[in-house]
Structures are given as C-alpha cells and as structure tokens.
Amino acid sequence: MGFYEQFKRAIAVYDEILRQPHRTEIARELRDEEDLFMLLCFSELLGLPNPAFYYTLELYPVIIERFHDWHLRAGMEKSPLEGIRCC
C-alpha cells in the first residue's frame, strides 16, 4: 500500500470520526425535510392552499410510493386522504 492509499484511508477514517456524533442529527434533518416536502406536495388534498400545486402535480406518481411511509411516520395508521389508498 503506497503513501497515497494510506493518506486516503487516514482521511476516510478522520471523516468518519467527525460524522459519527452527527449521524442522527443528519438523519433527523433529512426526515424533517422530506416530511415538509410531502406536506407541500399533498397540501391541496389536505385543504391547504398550495401556490405550487401545478408543479407538484407532476411529482405524484413518483412520491406516491413514499406516501405510505410518510403517513405512518406522521402517526396516521391509515391514509388520511380519500383519493389515495395506499394501505
């Protein structure tokens, strides 16, 4: 193993040491960001006005698979929307 490979490995270990305490915070931030995105996409169905509804309408086929995980994480055992049956 050459010097470059050892240096690269040392940087990877150092980076992992720095990330370890913040791993849960990063996961929580990503989850909160996704929840906000899902709320933005489905806000019209929940009765909240959404100025970007036209643009989010195209995303429904892509995010409908993640909708089930989202409403379970939000504490709803069944889908809160009449038009979307995922359970």
Side-chain angles (χ1 to χ4, degrees):
M1 186 181 293
F3 174 74
Y4 179 71
E5 293 297 325
Q6 288 179 346
F7 184 71
K8 191 174 174 181
R9 187 171 177 194
I11 293 295
V13 169
Y14 180 72
D15 189 48
E16 188 65 29
I17 289 170
L18 289 178
R19 285 186 188 192
Q20 188 63 31
H22 303 290
R23 195 171 298 260
T24 56
E25 294 173 17
I26 292 170
R28 187 180 320 124
E29 283 294 322
L30 288 174
R31 189 180 58 230
D32 289 346
E33 189 174 295
E34 175 150 341
D35 287 347
L36 182 62
F37 178 72
M38 295 294 280
L39 180 64
L40 176 68
C41 290
F42 291 103
S43 64
E44 280 288 325
L45 297 173
L46 296 172
L48 301 171
N50 181 4
F53 179 71
Y54 179 75
Y55 301 105
T56 59
L57 187 62
E58 295 179 5
L59 297 173
Y60 284 163
V62 177
I63 62 174
I64 196 68
E65 296 173 4
R66 297 187 327 210
F67 180 76
H68 179 70
D69 295 333
W70 174 67
H71 78 74
L72 288 178
R73 193 170 49 243
M76 298 175 264
E77 292 185 17
K78 294 188 178 187
S79 173
L81 305 174
E82 292 293 324
I84 299 175
R85 305 233 181 256
C86 62
C87 302

